[in-house]
Amino acid sequence: MARHARVLGGVAALLVGLSGCADSSTCAGVEVVSQVGVYVVQEGFGDLAGATYELCTRGECAKGELQQQGISNLTVGLPDDVDPDTAPVRLRVTRAGAAKPFIDDSVDAKLVHQSDGCGGGGYSQALAYTKEDGLLPNVPKAIGKAWVQQRKAEATADPTPTASS
């Protein structure tokens, strides 16, 4: 056990040394990554469970499947050396079993630098999609607030019992 503690302590010291940070509290953002995210408001679309999405920008794409929820957060990771200049972001969503997307929208977005507090960071941008307005180059306050409320509700919900409980 003592050996494991020394190894973990050494690894932690190595990471601090590599990051250039001596005080981990000043480097709370070391996990900053370059990415583009889209908050998809599902209201007005009916059941989207099982619909597939494709989110693309700057030559990178992410694909996945939507869950039925109020707001979905879709992200596409970007390389650390991404060009932050304005570029198109494209979102496509296709219902399960359909041949063509029912959402196919794009908007130009400029990335914003997010510092990690240690001299590094990443470039990111948050966008939103609503049935009424399409793909927006920013996140309206009401959508951001609803996302936070949804996450809080998920975090405080009673866990589903399992067979081993």
Side-chain angles (χ1 to χ4, degrees):
M1 187 62 115
R3 181 173 181 250
H4 290 299
R6 283 194 307 268
V7 170
L8 290 175
V11 170
L14 177 64
L15 289 174
V16 168
L18 290 175
S19 70
C21 300
D23 179 4
S24 64
S25 66
T26 62
C27 298
V30 171
E31 297 291 326
V32 173
V33 295
S34 294
Q35 66 181 2
V36 169
V38 177
Y39 293 102
V40 177
V41 179
Q42 294 189 19
E43 183 178 339
F45 288 111
D47 186 5
L48 292 182
T52 58
Y53 71 85
E54 180 180 55
L55 177 61
C56 299
T57 188
R58 295 165 172 80
E60 302 292 331
C61 291
K63 297 178 181 184
E65 192 172 290
L66 294 175
Q67 305 297 316
Q68 184 62 31
Q69 58 190 128
I71 301 172
S72 294
N73 182 19
L74 316 178
T75 60
V76 58
L78 301 172
D80 290 334
D81 62 348
V82 67
D83 181 357
D85 291 338
T86 301
V89 176
R90 185 173 188 176
L91 173 65
R92 291 184 193 155
V93 179
T94 306
R95 289 191 190 276
K100 292 184 178 181
F102 73 97
I103 295 174
D104 189 351
D105 201 354
S106 64
V107 67
D108 289 340
K110 182 173 176 70
L111 300 181
V112 177
H113 186 262
Q114 303 294 320
S115 174
D116 66 2
C118 299
Y123 287 93
S124 63
Q125 185 57 276
L127 297 87
Y129 183 89
T130 67
K131 187 172 185 176
E132 299 80 28
D133 299 318
L135 191 56
L136 302 167
N138 55 26
V139 179
K141 288 182 182 182
I143 293 173
K145 184 177 177 180
W147 170 251
V148 169
Q149 289 174 338
Q150 178 179 303
R151 297 295 296 171
K152 283 182 181 178
E154 291 169 357
T156 59
D158 290 333
T160 304
T162 63
S164 61
S165 296

